[in-house]
Amino acid sequence: MREAVLYDKLPDSMVKCHTCQWRCRINPGKYGVCGMYQNQEGTLFNINYAMVSSAAADPVEKKPLFHFCPGTLCFSLGTLGCNFHCKHCQNWEISTADGSALKNTCRELSPEAAIKLAKEANCQGIAWTYNEPTIWFEYTLDSARLAKQNQLYTVYVTNGYATPEALDTIGPYLDAWRVDIKGYSDEFYKSLSGIPHWREILEVTKRAKDKWNMHVEVVTNIVPTMNDDEEQLKGLANWIYRQLGELTPWHVTRFYPHHRLTHLPPTPLSSIEKAVDIGHKAGLKFVYAGNVPGHESESTRCYACGEIIVRRVGYQIEITGLTDSRCGYCGADLNFRSMASEDFPEGGGA
């Protein structure tokens, strides 16, 4: 347990949390939307600090990050709870759990111990994933600072609902912002996740790139009848192109029935390929079909000369033509980040 970094004390022992965009006003003894920040007699505490539900040495491609330190292992950590309530959550067993499950479900892992395990597992970086990292913000902040001191890269796999204050606090220590932008309409976000102000996700994502020079990749899970319409897909593809740039990777992934959406079918391959086509027509150079093993878009192909630069089959990769961030055949910029010191001078770098 740690006192929260970002909150205001209010009259009558109330507090206002500024960790995520819910900005919960919390009465004494009560919890925020995420269930992991509690007002204890007028002081806000993060109750799941260092409480780990899941830990694994994953290929960074599993996040998925395709243009960030390809071929490396990333020590991945998750806890319990979430500030979203997505109907299709693949990790709902941990994301829907509350604080009462912490002692029986999690083990305590200090930031120092996490860094030690990452190195023992021959990982080149550390990621906070499996559930939303901002709901144990103080732990990720302490761990990210320590990771940078130990020459490890740092990754947030996030729903993007952090506040600008939270982003700016961890920004100096965070290298990659792998963000889910789930759709592009008020109705969809309210229906799927119960989120009323989703456009702030776009603003914070742009801030991560522009202010903190983080590497950004976007994932959109294509859910039949919910966000597979052309209007949303075109809106999102055009936003990525205009605000994040044409070299920003966009992963459009296949939905499989899960949690509270078991009545829907898996996404037809035709819908995934339609999304890929929409992304390309919007001007995006790198659009990847996810959860479709063997699809031709798994590999990175140079948009300028057409050569395959990184060949992928699942999480197995072969780097065939990459020189720093450029095509080894024609020299085109491909927007890759590596572990080179100039790419990670002080975390993301501002």
Side-chain angles (χ1 to χ4, degrees), residues 252-319:
V252 289
T253 61
R254 193 177 195 183
F255 161 86
Y256 286 96
H258 212 66
H259 195 28
R260 290 185 285 151
L261 290 184
T262 55
H263 60 286
L264 292 179
T267 313
L269 181 58
S270 59
S271 296
I272 297 296
E273 293 183 334
K274 179 183 76 172
V276 171
D277 185 58
I278 285 172
H280 286 312
K281 286 180 178 177
L284 298 176
K285 302 300 186 185
F286 303 108
V287 187
Y288 297 104
N291 299 334
V292 187
H295 195 274
E296 62 179 0
S297 75
E298 269 190 318
S299 298
T300 297
R301 189 179 294 272
C302 178
Y303 57 88
C305 69
E307 295 286 346
I308 290 180
I309 307 304
V310 180
R311 181 176 285 109
R312 299 182 186 87
V313 179
Y315 302 130
Q316 301 298 312
I317 78 159
E318 179 187 5
I319 300 174

Side-chain angles (χ1 to χ4, degrees), residues 60 76 94 108 122 129 139 149 164 179 191 215 228 251 291:
V60 73
S76 302
I94 62 173
E108 190 168 355
N122 295 316
T129 178
Y139 178 69
Q149 295 171 16
V179 60
S191 174
H215 177 79
D228 57 348
H251 304 259
N291 299 334

Side-chain angles (χ1 to χ4, degrees), residues 156-178:
Y156 249 34
V157 178
T158 177
N159 58 33
Y161 215 52
T163 60
E165 303 98 293
L167 178 72
D168 290 350
T169 302
I170 201 170
Y173 315 104
L174 203 56
D175 296 311
W177 186 260
R178 214 295 283 133

Side-chain angles (χ1 to χ4, degrees), residues 47-53 78-80 102-103 106-108 136:
I47 66 169
N48 62 344
Y49 184 95
M51 300 300 289
V52 172
S53 68
T79 182
L80 297 183
L102 286 170
K103 288 186 178 180
C106 297
R107 62 172 174 141
E108 190 168 355
W136 57 346

